[in-house]
């Protein structure tokens, strides 16, 4: 705890009456650490030659039997073909005559037998005419396409089977007869009967839903159209029953009217779906 010896700000406001000896023994006095610089000269020492006689340095090293070399003498090297003379002399031939001058860097290389001599050149008129046909023209290959982009490691596409690099055929023209045959005439005829006869529209729509399994293109989309049609009829029938106080005759009349409208719309949607499948060259489903 701080006391008045730590500074005037810790002095008590009242003067103590007496000083008491603390109950704890005093701390040990740490030993004195010697100073490493004790006894060092104050001024920097100056080198002086030895006062007494000393042995020469060359007498301390045993002689190897070689003549001593003067440090003032230049070094000597052994010249060779690569180091003789100057750089110009190394790049030029030192030997040569007036007929055959020495080699220079800008001089062409000479061969042992002249290849352009007219004496060794055969007579071109004695050559036989070519019997083979003219060389084929260069093949017209398509320009290189962009390399395929591989999926990233660990993604779902990485574990999927590779996509077959087949060229997609162009879309073909679809006729009404093709759509009629692909949608099956039985399905379209049943829907036309339901569209013309309102009392039979609900029954004809149900029969058409059973015949929808014979459609040859986009069977899933066609079945989805019939499913939404029956959901709409179920909602309309439930609302008509509650509005007419559970009158079945009135509810059936309302339900037949909505079913007649669906018998007009469903065949058009089915024909459009089948035509889109044929145009996209999709494979037909098994009948």
């Amino acid at each position: 705890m701080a006391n008045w010896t730590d500074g005037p700000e810790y002095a008590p406001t009242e003067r103590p009456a007496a000083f008491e000896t603390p109950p704890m023994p005093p701390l040990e006095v740490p030993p004195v650490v010697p100073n490493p610089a004790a006894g060092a000269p104050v001024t920097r020492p100056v080198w002086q030659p030895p006062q007494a006689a000393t042995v020469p340095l060359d007498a301390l090293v045993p002689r190897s039997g070689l003549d001593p070399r003067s440090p003032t003498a230049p070094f000597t090297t052994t010249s060779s073909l690569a180091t003789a003379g100057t750089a110009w002399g190394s790049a030029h031939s030192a030997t040569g005559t007036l007929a055959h001058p020495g080699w220079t860097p800008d001089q062409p290389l000479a061969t042992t037998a002249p290849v352009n001599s007219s004496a060794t050149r055969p007579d071109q008129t004695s050559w036989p005419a070519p019997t083979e046909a003219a060389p084929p023209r260069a093949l017209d290959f398509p320009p290189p396409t962009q390399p395929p982009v591989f999926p990233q490691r660990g993604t779902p596409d990485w574990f999927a089977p590779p996509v077959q690099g087949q060229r997609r055929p162009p879309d073909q023209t679809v006729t009404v007869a093709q759509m009629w045959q692909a949608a099956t005439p039985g399905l379209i005829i049943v829907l036309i009967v339901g569209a013309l006869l309102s009392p039979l529209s609900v029954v004809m729509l149900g029969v058409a839903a059973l015949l929808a399994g014979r459609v040859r293109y986009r069977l899933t989309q066609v079945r989805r159209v019939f499913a939404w049609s029956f959901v709409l009829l179920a909602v309309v029938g439930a609302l008509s029953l509650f509005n007419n106080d559970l009158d079945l005759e009135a509810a059936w009349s309302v339900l037949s009217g909505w079913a007649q409208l669906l018998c007009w719309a469903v065949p058009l949607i089915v024909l459009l779906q089948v035509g889109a499948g044929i145009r996209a060259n999709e494979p037909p489903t098994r009948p």
Side-chain angles (χ1 to χ4, degrees):
M1 186 178 63
N3 52 22
W4 64 274
T5 58
D6 297 320
E9 62 273 9
Y10 296 103
T13 56
E14 297 181 358
R15 183 179 179 84
F19 294 97
E20 297 180 357
T21 304
M24 301 299 296
L27 299 177
E28 298 180 356
V29 178
V32 179
V33 179
N35 186 10
V42 180
T43 59
R44 182 177 181 179
V46 180
W47 182 83
Q48 295 180 358
Q51 302 296 330
T54 57
V55 181
L57 295 179
D58 55 355
L60 299 177
V61 179
R63 298 181 59 86
S64 59
L66 301 177
D67 296 335
R69 179 186 175 277
S70 176
T72 58
F75 288 95
T76 58
T77 57
T78 301
S79 300
S80 62
L81 295 177
T83 60
T86 60
W88 176 265
S90 300
H92 295 73
S93 177
T95 61
T97 61
L98 295 177
H100 300 282
W103 180 84
T104 57
D106 55 354
Q107 180 181 355
L109 298 176
T111 58
T112 56
V115 296
N116 296 327
S117 176
S118 60
T120 59
R121 182 183 304 172
D123 188 7
Q124 299 180 359
T125 58
S126 62
W127 290 352
T131 58
E132 297 181 358
R137 297 178 58 185
L139 299 179
D140 188 11
F141 292 101
T145 58
Q146 186 178 2
V149 179
F150 295 98
Q152 297 293 331
R153 185 185 297 273
T155 58
D157 295 338
W158 176 263
F159 303 99
V163 181
Q164 299 294 335
Q166 299 179 355
R167 182 176 177 270
R168 180 178 178 271
D171 296 341
Q172 59 178 343
T173 304
V174 184
T175 61
V176 178
Q178 290 177 340
M179 292 188 295
W180 178 273
Q181 293 295 332
T184 63
L187 174 65
I188 303 300
I189 292 175
V190 168
L191 290 175
I192 292 175
V193 172
L196 297 177
L197 301 177
S198 177
L200 300 178
S201 58
V202 179
V203 178
M204 292 295 101
L205 190 62
V207 174
L210 296 177
L211 296 176
R214 302 176 59 85
V215 178
R216 302 183 59 186
Y217 291 91
R218 299 196 175 184
L219 181 59
T220 304
Q221 289 83 343
V222 173
R223 287 178 174 174
R224 189 178 295 116
V225 170
F226 279 98
W228 283 107
S229 301
F230 284 108
V231 169
L232 178 61
L233 289 180
V235 173
V236 171
L239 293 177
S240 61
L241 282 176
F242 289 123
N243 293 333
N244 297 318
D245 297 331
L246 302 179
D247 188 357
L248 296 180
E249 185 178 357
W252 179 259
S253 177
V254 174
L255 196 63
S256 299
W258 280 90
Q260 187 177 12
L261 293 178
L262 291 176
C263 288
W264 284 106
V266 169
L268 297 178
I269 298 175
V270 171
L271 290 176
L272 292 177
Q273 289 289 343
V274 171
I278 299 175
R279 188 179 298 107
N281 295 294
E282 297 179 359
T285 57
R286 186 175 59 181

